[in-house]
Amino acid sequence: MDGPGGSGKSTVAREIARRLGLRYLDTGAMYRAVTQVALESRIDIEDHNAVAELAERAVLTVGTSPDNPAIAVNGEAVDDKIRTRAVTNAVSAVAAVPAVRRRLVARQQQIIAEASPVGIVVEGRDIGSVVAPHAPVKVFLTASTEVRALRRSHQLGEKGIDDVARTLAELDRRDVLDSTRAADPLAIPDDAIVLDSTALSVQDVVDEVLRHCERVSARAS
């Protein structure tokens, strides 16, 4: 499942994993974890060599339970630290470093392989196009930037008009960075279904994804 920030990927992907009894992987959390450590270590995120070296040294432990997708770096839990505004605003720069992407994509593909034969729901920005191009089910989840800004502000505990406007501007900036980066940009895979969650509830989106899974399964059999 791919899509921009605030589209509802994490909520939907975790619920799909629960409903189908599958594992779950939030690849964005991995990039956020590297970003958080870079910021904490006062590494210049524009220094690609320094960021790449950090990613190479970092030992990421990633949970794949949809009810507890914990993540740790070098043995330290970072779940609470990686969802801050500072990390959110810096992660696109870190994720654009080709060496970081190669390192983390390889780890993501390893986690996917280890999830066999149970299966796994993976969410991010390049899953269907790069990480798992042969996945039988691909979903691109989107929503209007206004709705995504409201959702993200709510996640951050911010509800004021100024907060939402700030988040909207940050989302617009990140959309541009993620869609135009040279390494594995955010894109809609040719064989993905596109769901716009702007006017849909989480349950509506989950139901539609499950129906699509049934259609794919029926065609395969």
Side-chain angles (χ1 to χ4, degrees):
M1 180 173 292
D2 292 309
S7 59
K9 297 190 306 295
S10 296
T11 302
V12 172
R14 290 173 70 172
E15 182 59 22
I16 293 295
R18 291 188 191 99
R19 295 276 290 273
L20 297 180
L22 304 177
R23 311 305 291 172
Y24 163 77
L25 175 62
D26 176 0
T27 62
M30 299 173 70
Y31 290 100
R32 284 174 173 272
V34 173
T35 302
Q36 190 277 325
V37 174
L39 294 176
E40 194 173 71
S41 303
R42 299 187 182 280
I43 290 175
D44 181 0
I45 61 172
E46 299 299 333
D47 185 339
H48 287 195
N49 288 332
V51 173
E53 289 175 5
L54 172 68
E56 185 66 29
R57 295 194 309 270
V59 178
L60 270 63
T61 304
V62 185
T64 58
S65 165
D67 295 312
N68 184 31
I71 185 165
V73 182
N74 301 326
E76 178 187 355
V78 294
D79 303 85
D80 294 335
K81 295 181 178 181
I82 64 175
R83 302 298 174 182
T84 64
R85 187 181 290 277
V87 170
T88 296
N89 289 338
V91 68
S92 288
V94 172
V97 179
V100 173
R101 298 205 71 82
R102 288 193 296 271
R103 168 76 168 170
L104 296 191
V105 167
R107 179 72 178 112
Q108 291 155 15
Q109 291 173 333
Q110 178 185 15
I111 293 170
I112 292 171
E114 291 171 349
S116 179
V118 175
I120 191 168
V121 178
V122 186
E123 56 123 327
R125 282 169 169 72
D126 64 341
I127 310 307
S129 56
V130 176
V131 179
H134 302 298
V137 175
K138 297 178 185 177
V139 177
F140 190 93
L141 188 61
T142 188
S144 70
T145 51
E146 292 79 9
V147 167
R148 292 193 289 123
L150 284 170
R151 292 171 179 170
R152 183 54 54 84
S153 291
H154 180 71
Q155 290 172 349
L156 292 170
E158 301 171 341
K159 300 179 181 179
I161 294 176
D162 291 342
D163 293 326
V164 175
R166 178 185 178 187
T167 301
L168 178 60
E170 291 170 350
L171 281 175
D172 282 337
R173 173 180 174 275
R174 190 176 179 194
D175 286 348
V176 171
L177 291 173
D178 289 343
S179 300
T180 59
R181 68 187 179 217
D184 310 336
L186 170 68
I188 303 174
D190 292 336
D191 51 348
I193 64 164
V194 180
L195 295 179
D196 188 330
S197 68
T198 300
L200 300 177
S201 68
V202 170
Q203 192 57 54
D204 289 336
V205 178
V206 169
D207 289 343
E208 182 54 41
V209 173
L210 290 175
R211 283 192 290 268
H212 179 59
C213 290
E214 291 174 355
R215 290 193 293 267
V216 171
S217 179
R219 288 198 297 268
S221 61

